[in-house]
mmCIF file of all heavy atoms in Angstrom:
data_model
loop_
_atom_site.group_PDB
_atom_site.id
_atom_site.type_symbol
_atom_site.label_atom_id
_atom_site.label_comp_id
_atom_site.label_asym_id
_atom_site.label_seq_id
_atom_site.Cartn_x
_atom_site.Cartn_y
_atom_site.Cartn_z
ATOM 1 N N GLY A 207 -14.437 56.040 -24.999
ATOM 2 C CA GLY A 207 -15.702 56.674 -25.369
ATOM 3 C C GLY A 207 -16.745 56.639 -24.289
ATOM 4 O O GLY A 207 -17.931 56.911 -24.557
ATOM 5 N N ALA A 208 -16.361 56.340 -23.032
ATOM 6 C CA ALA A 208 -17.336 56.147 -21.964
ATOM 7 C C ALA A 208 -18.189 57.394 -21.734
ATOM 8 O O ALA A 208 -19.426 57.327 -21.705
ATOM 9 C CB ALA A 208 -16.626 55.738 -20.678
ATOM 10 N N LEU A 209 -17.566 58.541 -21.560
ATOM 11 C CA LEU A 209 -18.329 59.746 -21.240
ATOM 12 C C LEU A 209 -19.179 60.211 -22.413
ATOM 13 O O LEU A 209 -20.258 60.779 -22.218
ATOM 14 C CB LEU A 209 -17.381 60.859 -20.778
ATOM 15 C CG LEU A 209 -16.608 60.576 -19.479
ATOM 16 C CD1 LEU A 209 -15.783 61.789 -19.078
ATOM 17 C CD2 LEU A 209 -17.538 60.155 -18.348
ATOM 18 N N THR A 210 -18.713 59.956 -23.636
ATOM 19 C CA THR A 210 -19.535 60.283 -24.800
ATOM 20 C C THR A 210 -20.811 59.464 -24.818
ATOM 21 O O THR A 210 -21.915 59.984 -25.063
ATOM 22 C CB THR A 210 -18.739 60.041 -26.100
ATOM 23 O OG1 THR A 210 -17.646 60.953 -26.145
ATOM 24 C CG2 THR A 210 -19.618 60.238 -27.330
ATOM 25 N N GLN A 211 -20.687 58.158 -24.534
ATOM 26 C CA GLN A 211 -21.869 57.298 -24.491
ATOM 27 C C GLN A 211 -22.841 57.759 -23.407
ATOM 28 O O GLN A 211 -24.064 57.767 -23.603
ATOM 29 C CB GLN A 211 -21.451 55.853 -24.234
ATOM 30 C CG GLN A 211 -20.650 55.219 -25.353
ATOM 31 C CD GLN A 211 -21.541 54.425 -26.284
ATOM 32 O OE1 GLN A 211 -22.670 54.815 -26.559
ATOM 33 N NE2 GLN A 211 -21.029 53.316 -26.769
ATOM 34 N N VAL A 212 -22.297 58.152 -22.276
ATOM 35 C CA VAL A 212 -23.152 58.569 -21.171
ATOM 36 C C VAL A 212 -23.845 59.885 -21.498
ATOM 37 O O VAL A 212 -25.057 60.048 -21.267
ATOM 38 C CB VAL A 212 -22.342 58.677 -19.869
ATOM 39 C CG1 VAL A 212 -23.178 59.329 -18.759
ATOM 40 C CG2 VAL A 212 -21.865 57.297 -19.409
ATOM 41 N N ILE A 213 -23.102 60.850 -22.049
ATOM 42 C CA ILE A 213 -23.720 62.143 -22.328
ATOM 43 C C ILE A 213 -24.769 62.017 -23.422
ATOM 44 O O ILE A 213 -25.773 62.744 -23.425
ATOM 45 C CB ILE A 213 -22.654 63.209 -22.683
ATOM 46 C CG1 ILE A 213 -23.218 64.617 -22.419
ATOM 47 C CG2 ILE A 213 -22.193 63.079 -24.120
ATOM 48 C CD1 ILE A 213 -23.522 64.901 -20.978
ATOM 49 N N ASN A 214 -24.565 61.096 -24.353
ATOM 50 C CA ASN A 214 -25.591 60.854 -25.367
ATOM 51 C C ASN A 214 -26.883 60.365 -24.724
ATOM 52 O O ASN A 214 -27.984 60.773 -25.127
ATOM 53 C CB ASN A 214 -25.093 59.831 -26.391
ATOM 54 C CG ASN A 214 -24.039 60.394 -27.316
ATOM 55 O OD1 ASN A 214 -23.888 61.624 -27.438
ATOM 56 N ND2 ASN A 214 -23.283 59.525 -27.973
ATOM 57 N N ALA A 215 -26.764 59.492 -23.715
ATOM 58 C CA ALA A 215 -27.943 59.009 -23.002
ATOM 59 C C ALA A 215 -28.597 60.137 -22.207
ATOM 60 O O ALA A 215 -29.837 60.239 -22.143
ATOM 61 C CB ALA A 215 -27.568 57.853 -22.077
ATOM 62 N N VAL A 216 -27.778 60.992 -21.601
ATOM 63 C CA VAL A 216 -28.312 62.141 -20.866
ATOM 64 C C VAL A 216 -29.085 63.063 -21.797
ATOM 65 O O VAL A 216 -30.178 63.557 -21.472
ATOM 66 C CB VAL A 216 -27.167 62.911 -20.166
ATOM 67 C CG1 VAL A 216 -27.673 64.241 -19.610
ATOM 68 C CG2 VAL A 216 -26.561 62.067 -19.047
ATOM 69 N N ASP A 217 -28.529 63.304 -22.973
ATOM 70 C CA ASP A 217 -29.190 64.200 -23.924
ATOM 71 C C ASP A 217 -30.507 63.621 -24.437
ATOM 72 O O ASP A 217 -31.405 64.375 -24.833
ATOM 73 C CB ASP A 217 -28.244 64.494 -25.095
ATOM 74 C CG ASP A 217 -27.068 65.377 -24.683
ATOM 75 O OD1 ASP A 217 -27.159 66.011 -23.609
ATOM 76 O OD2 ASP A 217 -26.057 65.417 -25.412
ATOM 77 N N ARG A 218 -30.630 62.297 -24.434
ATOM 78 C CA ARG A 218 -31.896 61.679 -24.866
ATOM 79 C C ARG A 218 -32.952 61.726 -23.764
ATOM 80 O O ARG A 218 -34.153 61.648 -24.047
ATOM 81 C CB ARG A 218 -31.666 60.215 -25.282
ATOM 82 C CG ARG A 218 -30.922 60.047 -26.595
ATOM 83 C CD ARG A 218 -30.988 58.606 -27.072
ATOM 84 N NE ARG A 218 -30.361 57.678 -26.159
ATOM 85 C CZ ARG A 218 -29.077 57.320 -26.197
ATOM 86 N NH1 ARG A 218 -28.288 57.844 -27.135
ATOM 87 N NH2 ARG A 218 -28.580 56.456 -25.333
ATOM 88 N N HIS A 219 -32.501 61.831 -22.506
ATOM 89 C CA HIS A 219 -33.426 61.797 -21.363
ATOM 90 C C HIS A 219 -33.015 62.899 -20.393
ATOM 91 O O HIS A 219 -32.205 62.672 -19.484
ATOM 92 C CB HIS A 219 -33.381 60.440 -20.662
ATOM 93 C CG HIS A 219 -33.595 59.267 -21.558
ATOM 94 N ND1 HIS A 219 -34.826 58.934 -22.074
ATOM 95 C CD2 HIS A 219 -32.726 58.334 -22.039
ATOM 96 C CE1 HIS A 219 -34.716 57.856 -22.827
ATOM 97 N NE2 HIS A 219 -33.468 57.473 -22.832
ATOM 98 N N ASP A 220 -33.600 64.067 -20.529
ATOM 99 C CA ASP A 220 -33.155 65.181 -19.691
ATOM 100 C C ASP A 220 -33.610 65.055 -18.241
ATOM 101 O O ASP A 220 -33.206 65.861 -17.399
ATOM 102 C CB ASP A 220 -33.593 66.521 -20.280
ATOM 103 C CG ASP A 220 -35.118 66.639 -20.419
ATOM 104 O OD1 ASP A 220 -35.839 65.711 -19.968
ATOM 105 O OD2 ASP A 220 -35.583 67.641 -20.989
ATOM 106 N N ASP A 221 -34.437 64.038 -17.940
ATOM 107 C CA ASP A 221 -34.866 63.830 -16.559
ATOM 108 C C ASP A 221 -34.125 62.684 -15.884
ATOM 109 O O ASP A 221 -34.494 62.263 -14.785
ATOM 110 C CB ASP A 221 -36.368 63.566 -16.506
ATOM 111 C CG ASP A 221 -36.788 62.324 -17.281
ATOM 112 O OD1 ASP A 221 -35.979 61.811 -18.094
ATOM 113 O OD2 ASP A 221 -37.929 61.858 -17.086
ATOM 114 N N VAL A 222 -33.064 62.185 -16.493
ATOM 115 C CA VAL A 222 -32.347 61.056 -15.914
ATOM 116 C C VAL A 222 -31.551 61.522 -14.696
ATOM 117 O O VAL A 222 -30.898 62.565 -14.708
ATOM 118 C CB VAL A 222 -31.414 60.382 -16.946
ATOM 119 C CG1 VAL A 222 -30.339 61.338 -17.451
ATOM 120 C CG2 VAL A 222 -30.771 59.131 -16.359
ATOM 121 N N ASP A 223 -31.641 60.760 -13.617
ATOM 122 C CA ASP A 223 -30.912 61.074 -12.388
ATOM 123 C C ASP A 223 -29.855 60.027 -12.051
ATOM 124 O O ASP A 223 -29.006 60.267 -11.185
ATOM 125 C CB ASP A 223 -31.882 61.197 -11.212
ATOM 126 C CG ASP A 223 -32.756 62.444 -11.320
ATOM 127 O OD1 ASP A 223 -32.258 63.475 -11.821
ATOM 128 O OD2 ASP A 223 -33.939 62.387 -10.925
ATOM 129 N N TYR A 224 -29.910 58.875 -12.692
ATOM 130 C CA TYR A 224 -28.896 57.845 -12.458
ATOM 131 C C TYR A 224 -28.711 57.041 -13.734
ATOM 132 O O TYR A 224 -29.692 56.657 -14.383
ATOM 133 C CB TYR A 224 -29.312 56.921 -11.305
ATOM 134 C CG TYR A 224 -28.326 55.797 -11.031
ATOM 135 C CD1 TYR A 224 -26.984 56.062 -10.789
ATOM 136 C CD2 TYR A 224 -28.737 54.464 -11.031
ATOM 137 C CE1 TYR A 224 -26.082 55.039 -10.549
ATOM 138 C CE2 TYR A 224 -27.845 53.435 -10.783
ATOM 139 C CZ TYR A 224 -26.513 53.723 -10.546
ATOM 140 O OH TYR A 224 -25.614 52.708 -10.320
ATOM 141 N N LEU A 225 -27.452 56.828 -14.106
ATOM 142 C CA LEU A 225 -27.103 55.985 -15.245
ATOM 143 C C LEU A 225 -26.056 54.974 -14.807
ATOM 144 O O LEU A 225 -25.200 55.270 -13.945
ATOM 145 C CB LEU A 225 -26.529 56.805 -16.401
ATOM 146 C CG LEU A 225 -27.336 57.992 -16.927
ATOM 147 C CD1 LEU A 225 -26.867 59.283 -16.247
ATOM 148 C CD2 LEU A 225 -27.182 58.136 -18.438
ATOM 149 N N TYR A 226 -26.124 53.793 -15.394
ATOM 150 C CA TYR A 226 -25.083 52.800 -15.158
ATOM 151 C C TYR A 226 -24.796 52.081 -16.466
ATOM 152 O O TYR A 226 -25.617 52.066 -17.387
ATOM 153 C CB TYR A 226 -25.477 51.802 -14.065
ATOM 154 C CG TYR A 226 -26.691 50.945 -14.387
ATOM 155 C CD1 TYR A 226 -26.549 49.654 -14.900
ATOM 156 C CD2 TYR A 226 -27.979 51.423 -14.180
ATOM 157 C CE1 TYR A 226 -27.660 48.871 -15.194
ATOM 158 C CE2 TYR A 226 -29.091 50.651 -14.468
ATOM 159 C CZ TYR A 226 -28.928 49.382 -14.970
ATOM 160 O OH TYR A 226 -30.012 48.607 -15.265
ATOM 161 N N THR A 227 -23.595 51.495 -16.556
ATOM 162 C CA THR A 227 -23.162 50.854 -17.790
ATOM 163 C C THR A 227 -22.736 49.423 -17.516
ATOM 164 O O THR A 227 -22.630 48.981 -16.365
ATOM 165 C CB THR A 227 -21.972 51.605 -18.409
ATOM 166 O OG1 THR A 227 -20.756 51.254 -17.706
ATOM 167 C CG2 THR A 227 -22.163 53.114 -18.350
ATOM 168 N N ASP A 228 -22.478 48.686 -18.576
ATOM 169 C CA ASP A 228 -21.903 47.354 -18.435
ATOM 170 C C ASP A 228 -20.425 47.471 -18.072
ATOM 171 O O ASP A 228 -19.827 48.556 -18.170
ATOM 172 C CB ASP A 228 -22.081 46.554 -19.724
ATOM 173 C CG ASP A 228 -23.549 46.283 -20.046
ATOM 174 O OD1 ASP A 228 -24.400 46.498 -19.169
ATOM 175 O OD2 ASP A 228 -23.828 45.879 -21.186
ATOM 176 N N GLU A 229 -19.824 46.365 -17.658
ATOM 177 C CA GLU A 229 -18.435 46.391 -17.207
ATOM 178 C C GLU A 229 -17.768 45.066 -17.494
ATOM 179 O O GLU A 229 -18.436 44.059 -17.788
ATOM 180 C CB GLU A 229 -18.371 46.688 -15.712
ATOM 181 C CG GLU A 229 -19.010 45.585 -14.852
ATOM 182 C CD GLU A 229 -19.059 45.938 -13.371
ATOM 183 O OE1 GLU A 229 -19.974 46.675 -12.972
ATOM 184 O OE2 GLU A 229 -18.174 45.455 -12.633
ATOM 185 N N ASP A 230 -16.448 45.055 -17.430
ATOM 186 C CA ASP A 230 -15.706 43.798 -17.434
ATOM 187 C C ASP A 230 -14.527 43.945 -16.482
ATOM 188 O O ASP A 230 -14.435 44.937 -15.733
ATOM 189 C CB ASP A 230 -15.279 43.389 -18.853
ATOM 190 C CG ASP A 230 -14.314 44.365 -19.503
ATOM 191 O OD1 ASP A 230 -13.775 45.252 -18.792
ATOM 192 O OD2 ASP A 230 -14.072 44.250 -20.713
ATOM 193 N N LYS A 231 -13.640 42.975 -16.480
ATOM 194 C CA LYS A 231 -12.464 43.006 -15.613
ATOM 195 C C LYS A 231 -11.204 43.099 -16.473
ATOM 196 O O LYS A 231 -11.193 42.673 -17.634
ATOM 197 C CB LYS A 231 -12.413 41.755 -14.728
ATOM 198 C CG LYS A 231 -13.572 41.645 -13.752
ATOM 199 C CD LYS A 231 -13.397 40.427 -12.858
ATOM 200 C CE LYS A 231 -14.513 40.337 -11.816
ATOM 201 N NZ LYS A 231 -15.825 40.075 -12.417
ATOM 202 N N VAL A 232 -10.155 43.631 -15.894
ATOM 203 C CA VAL A 232 -8.869 43.697 -16.570
ATOM 204 C C VAL A 232 -7.814 43.085 -15.655
ATOM 205 O O VAL A 232 -7.720 43.425 -14.470
ATOM 206 C CB VAL A 232 -8.494 45.148 -16.960
ATOM 207 C CG1 VAL A 232 -8.509 46.085 -15.763
ATOM 208 C CG2 VAL A 232 -7.152 45.182 -17.672
ATOM 209 N N GLY A 233 -7.058 42.135 -16.185
ATOM 210 C CA GLY A 233 -6.040 41.454 -15.410
ATOM 211 C C GLY A 233 -4.720 42.191 -15.405
ATOM 212 O O GLY A 233 -4.542 43.213 -16.080
ATOM 213 N N ASP A 234 -3.751 41.661 -14.644
ATOM 214 C CA ASP A 234 -2.423 42.279 -14.560
ATOM 215 C C ASP A 234 -1.739 42.361 -15.915
ATOM 216 O O ASP A 234 -0.914 43.251 -16.150
ATOM 217 C CB ASP A 234 -1.537 41.487 -13.592
ATOM 218 C CG ASP A 234 -1.973 41.668 -12.143
ATOM 219 O OD1 ASP A 234 -2.623 42.693 -11.856
ATOM 220 O OD2 ASP A 234 -1.681 40.785 -11.319
ATOM 221 N N ASP A 235 -2.083 41.431 -16.813
ATOM 222 C CA ASP A 235 -1.461 41.422 -18.134
ATOM 223 C C ASP A 235 -2.212 42.275 -19.147
ATOM 224 O O ASP A 235 -1.882 42.273 -20.338
ATOM 225 C CB ASP A 235 -1.347 39.979 -18.658
ATOM 226 C CG ASP A 235 -2.702 39.297 -18.805
ATOM 227 O OD1 ASP A 235 -3.730 39.912 -18.429
ATOM 228 O OD2 ASP A 235 -2.732 38.143 -19.283
ATOM 229 N N GLY A 236 -3.233 42.995 -18.681
ATOM 230 C CA GLY A 236 -3.988 43.855 -19.575
ATOM 231 C C GLY A 236 -5.102 43.173 -20.323
ATOM 232 O O GLY A 236 -5.773 43.801 -21.151
ATOM 233 N N THR A 237 -5.334 41.899 -20.037
ATOM 234 C CA THR A 237 -6.392 41.151 -20.710
ATOM 235 C C THR A 237 -7.750 41.511 -20.120
ATOM 236 O O THR A 237 -7.926 41.560 -18.903
ATOM 237 C CB THR A 237 -6.158 39.638 -20.571
ATOM 238 O OG1 THR A 237 -4.896 39.304 -21.139
ATOM 239 C CG2 THR A 237 -7.261 38.858 -21.273
ATOM 240 N N PHE A 238 -8.729 41.741 -21.002
ATOM 241 C CA PHE A 238 -10.096 42.023 -20.562
ATOM 242 C C PHE A 238 -10.908 40.732 -20.570
ATOM 243 O O PHE A 238 -10.840 39.949 -21.523
ATOM 244 C CB PHE A 238 -10.752 43.054 -21.485
ATOM 245 C CG PHE A 238 -10.001 44.357 -21.558
ATOM 246 C CD1 PHE A 238 -9.494 44.809 -22.762
ATOM 247 C CD2 PHE A 238 -9.795 45.113 -20.420
ATOM 248 C CE1 PHE A 238 -8.797 45.999 -22.833
ATOM 249 C CE2 PHE A 238 -9.092 46.307 -20.483
ATOM 250 C CZ PHE A 238 -8.587 46.759 -21.694
ATOM 251 N N TYR A 239 -11.679 40.504 -19.523
ATOM 252 C CA TYR A 239 -12.456 39.277 -19.402
ATOM 253 C C TYR A 239 -13.643 39.519 -18.470
ATOM 254 O O TYR A 239 -13.775 40.568 -17.861
ATOM 255 C CB TYR A 239 -11.585 38.138 -18.882
ATOM 256 C CG TYR A 239 -11.123 38.316 -17.443
ATOM 257 C CD1 TYR A 239 -11.785 37.679 -16.393
ATOM 258 C CD2 TYR A 239 -10.032 39.125 -17.128
ATOM 259 C CE1 TYR A 239 -11.383 37.840 -15.075
ATOM 260 C CE2 TYR A 239 -9.622 39.295 -15.816
ATOM 261 C CZ TYR A 239 -10.286 38.653 -14.798
ATOM 262 O OH TYR A 239 -9.890 38.820 -13.496
ATOM 263 N N GLY A 240 -14.505 38.498 -18.371
ATOM 264 C CA GLY A 240 -15.599 38.529 -17.403
ATOM 265 C C GLY A 240 -16.613 39.627 -17.639
ATOM 266 O O GLY A 240 -17.112 40.242 -16.679
ATOM 267 N N ALA A 241 -16.957 39.873 -18.890
ATOM 268 C CA ALA A 241 -17.919 40.947 -19.180
ATOM 269 C C ALA A 241 -19.261 40.689 -18.499
ATOM 270 O O ALA A 241 -19.790 39.582 -18.537
ATOM 271 C CB ALA A 241 -18.104 41.076 -20.689
ATOM 272 N N PHE A 242 -19.792 41.714 -17.870
ATOM 273 C CA PHE A 242 -21.097 41.651 -17.215
ATOM 274 C C PHE A 242 -22.047 42.530 -18.029
ATOM 275 O O PHE A 242 -22.027 43.752 -17.933
ATOM 276 C CB PHE A 242 -20.985 42.156 -15.783
ATOM 277 C CG PHE A 242 -22.256 42.068 -14.968
ATOM 278 C CD1 PHE A 242 -23.388 41.394 -15.433
ATOM 279 C CD2 PHE A 242 -22.336 42.655 -13.717
ATOM 280 C CE1 PHE A 242 -24.549 41.315 -14.687
ATOM 281 C CE2 PHE A 242 -23.491 42.590 -12.951
ATOM 282 C CZ PHE A 242 -24.600 41.930 -13.436
ATOM 283 N N HIS A 243 -22.864 41.873 -18.846
ATOM 284 C CA HIS A 243 -23.881 42.570 -19.630
ATOM 285 C C HIS A 243 -25.137 42.636 -18.777
ATOM 286 O O HIS A 243 -25.871 41.652 -18.645
ATOM 287 C CB HIS A 243 -24.116 41.843 -20.950
ATOM 288 C CG HIS A 243 -22.897 41.808 -21.824
ATOM 289 N ND1 HIS A 243 -22.432 42.920 -22.490
ATOM 290 C CD2 HIS A 243 -22.024 40.798 -22.105
ATOM 291 C CE1 HIS A 243 -21.339 42.596 -23.164
ATOM 292 N NE2 HIS A 243 -21.064 41.334 -22.942
ATOM 293 N N LYS A 244 -25.385 43.774 -18.206
ATOM 294 C CA LYS A 244 -26.359 43.925 -17.139
ATOM 295 C C LYS A 244 -27.789 44.029 -17.657
ATOM 296 O O LYS A 244 -28.003 44.363 -18.824
ATOM 297 C CB LYS A 244 -26.012 45.163 -16.310
ATOM 298 C CG LYS A 244 -24.615 45.104 -15.712
ATOM 299 C CD LYS A 244 -24.212 46.408 -15.061
ATOM 300 C CE LYS A 244 -22.763 46.347 -14.595
ATOM 301 N NZ LYS A 244 -22.308 47.644 -14.054
ATOM 302 N N PRO A 245 -28.740 43.766 -16.794
ATOM 303 C CA PRO A 245 -30.142 43.976 -17.175
ATOM 304 C C PRO A 245 -30.473 45.454 -17.187
ATOM 305 O O PRO A 245 -29.755 46.277 -16.601
ATOM 306 C CB PRO A 245 -30.908 43.251 -16.069
ATOM 307 C CG PRO A 245 -30.005 43.358 -14.881
ATOM 308 C CD PRO A 245 -28.603 43.238 -15.419
ATOM 309 N N ASP A 246 -31.567 45.802 -17.851
ATOM 310 C CA ASP A 246 -32.104 47.146 -17.697
ATOM 311 C C ASP A 246 -32.559 47.317 -16.254
ATOM 312 O O ASP A 246 -32.538 46.370 -15.446
ATOM 313 C CB ASP A 246 -33.250 47.368 -18.685
ATOM 314 C CG ASP A 246 -32.738 47.575 -20.116
ATOM 315 O OD1 ASP A 246 -31.520 47.748 -20.295
ATOM 316 O OD2 ASP A 246 -33.569 47.548 -21.044
ATOM 317 N N TRP A 247 -32.956 48.510 -15.907
ATOM 318 C CA TRP A 247 -33.225 48.878 -14.519
ATOM 319 C C TRP A 247 -34.046 47.809 -13.803
ATOM 320 O O TRP A 247 -35.146 47.458 -14.214
ATOM 321 C CB TRP A 247 -33.919 50.219 -14.469
ATOM 322 C CG TRP A 247 -34.363 50.674 -13.117
ATOM 323 C CD1 TRP A 247 -35.576 51.189 -12.780
ATOM 324 C CD2 TRP A 247 -33.589 50.678 -11.894
ATOM 325 N NE1 TRP A 247 -35.626 51.515 -11.442
ATOM 326 C CE2 TRP A 247 -34.426 51.211 -10.871
ATOM 327 C CE3 TRP A 247 -32.295 50.284 -11.564
ATOM 328 C CZ2 TRP A 247 -33.999 51.361 -9.558
ATOM 329 C CZ3 TRP A 247 -31.862 50.430 -10.253
ATOM 330 C CH2 TRP A 247 -32.713 50.954 -9.272
ATOM 331 N N SER A 248 -33.461 47.290 -12.727
ATOM 332 C CA SER A 248 -34.001 46.153 -11.994
ATOM 333 C C SER A 248 -33.927 46.447 -10.501
ATOM 334 O O SER A 248 -32.997 46.005 -9.813
ATOM 335 C CB SER A 248 -33.206 44.888 -12.351
ATOM 336 O OG SER A 248 -33.722 43.739 -11.714
ATOM 337 N N PRO A 249 -34.886 47.214 -9.951
ATOM 338 C CA PRO A 249 -34.806 47.592 -8.541
ATOM 339 C C PRO A 249 -34.810 46.416 -7.580
ATOM 340 O O PRO A 249 -34.171 46.470 -6.525
ATOM 341 C CB PRO A 249 -36.036 48.485 -8.341
ATOM 342 C CG PRO A 249 -36.936 48.189 -9.492
ATOM 343 C CD PRO A 249 -36.047 47.809 -10.626
ATOM 344 N N GLU A 250 -35.509 45.334 -7.932
ATOM 345 C CA GLU A 250 -35.494 44.165 -7.053
ATOM 346 C C GLU A 250 -34.117 43.545 -7.011
ATOM 347 O O GLU A 250 -33.643 43.127 -5.953
ATOM 348 C CB GLU A 250 -36.531 43.151 -7.527
ATOM 349 C CG GLU A 250 -36.648 41.928 -6.610
ATOM 350 C CD GLU A 250 -37.223 42.242 -5.239
ATOM 351 O OE1 GLU A 250 -37.835 43.320 -5.073
ATOM 352 O OE2 GLU A 250 -37.077 41.406 -4.336
ATOM 353 N N ARG A 251 -33.447 43.495 -8.155
ATOM 354 C CA ARG A 251 -32.102 42.925 -8.179
ATOM 355 C C ARG A 251 -31.131 43.784 -7.368
ATOM 356 O O ARG A 251 -30.217 43.248 -6.710
ATOM 357 C CB ARG A 251 -31.607 42.797 -9.617
ATOM 358 C CG ARG A 251 -30.237 42.139 -9.708
ATOM 359 C CD ARG A 251 -29.919 41.684 -11.106
ATOM 360 N NE ARG A 251 -28.666 40.943 -11.122
ATOM 361 C CZ ARG A 251 -28.282 40.159 -12.111
ATOM 362 N NH1 ARG A 251 -29.056 40.004 -13.172
ATOM 363 N NH2 ARG A 251 -27.127 39.524 -12.055
ATOM 364 N N LEU A 252 -31.301 45.095 -7.399
ATOM 365 C CA LEU A 252 -30.413 45.970 -6.638
ATOM 366 C C LEU A 252 -30.527 45.704 -5.139
ATOM 367 O O LEU A 252 -29.576 45.935 -4.394
ATOM 368 C CB LEU A 252 -30.719 47.437 -6.945
ATOM 369 C CG LEU A 252 -29.734 48.453 -6.377
ATOM 370 C CD1 LEU A 252 -28.345 48.283 -6.986
ATOM 371 C CD2 LEU A 252 -30.223 49.883 -6.602
#
């Protein structure tokens, strides 16, 4: 559902020029781990 979530955000903000999402890692065995729940826009952190 990644692109659906993104397009929903685009439709809410027609002036958006950059979007980013949270992420995690996937191992060789298919296990998902290490979720990074990111802050809202943080230019100093970037």
Side-chain angles (χ1 to χ4, degrees):
L209 296 184
T210 295
Q211 294 265 37
V212 171
I213 203 64
N214 288 342
V216 170
D217 290 343
R218 288 192 298 270
H219 307 286
D220 59 5
D221 61 345
V222 62
D223 290 325
Y224 178 55
L225 306 95
Y226 63 97
T227 79
D228 295 347
E229 65 185 81
D230 64 12
K231 296 183 177 67
V232 55
D234 289 337
D235 61 356
T237 301
F238 302 119
Y239 68 99
F242 184 9
H243 298 287
K244 302 172 186 175
D246 285 349
W247 175 227
S248 182
E250 184 67 17
R251 183 165 186 163
L252 189 64

